[in-house]
Amino acid sequence: MRTGFSPATFRRGIPLRRLGRQLNPFPLVQLPYHRLVNPWTLGAVLHEVSHNLQSDLGLNKAVPVAMGRRLLEEDCPPAVVQVWVRWNREIFADLSALLLGGPSVVGSLLDVVGRSPRSVVAYNPRGPHPTPWFRVYISTELLRRMGFAEEAERYESLWSKLYPNPRAGNLPRALVDTFARANPAVVDALCFRDFAPLGQRSLAGTITFGDKEHQMTLEAAERLAAGTDPGIIPARFLIGSARAALDRGLARPGVITKNFYTELARR
């Protein structure tokens, strides 16, 4: 925990100054304090954990290669493919977090990327993150393929009303023009194609979140709001439960926060 705005992670096996330049023995996730006191924003935990999953599962090389090949199949220009490949780690973390935590993770993402109209469509030619305008639609594409079409439509409707014009900034025209076919291709390559490091299984086939998991999350939201034991629900689902409890007004924010951490402390 520290002050500041952005979460971060320190992966396994890299030298850390705070350890006297010794190799980090296990992944560390660093979170700003304001996220911890608002547990419905902790989709960031799943995002940062996913960075470490990509590294530890040996997907660092396989993911960008799969993305590049799939985009070339869609006749995307080489310059466009290069940009998407540069974004691969952050896209992987967003999509893996969504598979780990379900639809509420998109709401947590909007908390982060929903800024001024100028910044949402501002392109950084060296940045590792997709431009925010793209980032939400990448997640809603996966959300739809996971079976949550209604939730995807709701988030997309909100996002398009807030930021209707991607050409208002300095986004390269080729990126905008090819987005409609590049976006589903990237989601398909990362989540629905088999990877050798995963035992010839897809990411979506390895980390599953469907209707059953969603119902578990919603039921736990009611119990969390009431201060009762949410049962055997996996801890990673509690983030979505906290968000659902807040969005539905099931309890005051302070009550949700207290009960969220009380439940974590039991585990």
Side-chain angles (χ1 to χ4, degrees), residues 10-39:
F10 304 92
R11 68 180 183 271
R12 187 192 318 272
I14 63 171
L16 291 184
R17 178 176 54 83
R18 292 182 182 180
L19 296 178
R21 305 302 295 176
Q22 297 295 313
L23 297 182
N24 185 30
F26 48 78
L28 297 170
V29 172
Q30 176 179 285
L31 294 169
Y33 178 73
H34 68 85
R35 296 290 185 93
L36 292 170
V37 297
N38 297 281

Side-chain angles (χ1 to χ4, degrees), residues 53-135:
L53 285 177
Q54 186 176 359
S55 298
D56 284 0
L57 293 175
L59 293 169
N60 283 342
K61 294 181 179 179
V63 164
V65 168
M67 283 178 56
R69 288 176 176 171
R70 190 69 182 83
L71 288 166
L72 290 173
E73 290 174 4
E74 295 296 324
D75 294 325
C76 291
V80 168
V81 175
Q82 186 178 21
V83 172
W84 280 97
V85 169
R86 187 179 78 238
W87 290 340
N88 86 89
R89 287 190 59 82
E90 295 299 334
I91 295 175
F92 179 91
D94 279 350
L95 298 184
S96 173
L98 183 47
L99 291 168
L100 286 167
S104 64
V105 172
V106 181
S108 191
L109 174 64
L110 263 67
D111 292 339
V112 177
V113 299
R115 303 182 187 178
S116 70
R118 177 178 295 180
S119 64
V120 166
V121 293
Y123 173 71
N124 180 352
R126 296 184 179 180
H129 294 83
T131 301
W133 191 88
F134 291 138
R135 201 170 167 185

Side-chain angles (χ1 to χ4, degrees), residues 120-122 131 133-134 137 163-172 176:
V120 166
V121 293
T131 301
W133 191 88
F134 291 138
Y137 291 114
Y163 310 104
N165 183 15
R167 302 183 191 278
N170 65 332
L171 277 167
V176 178

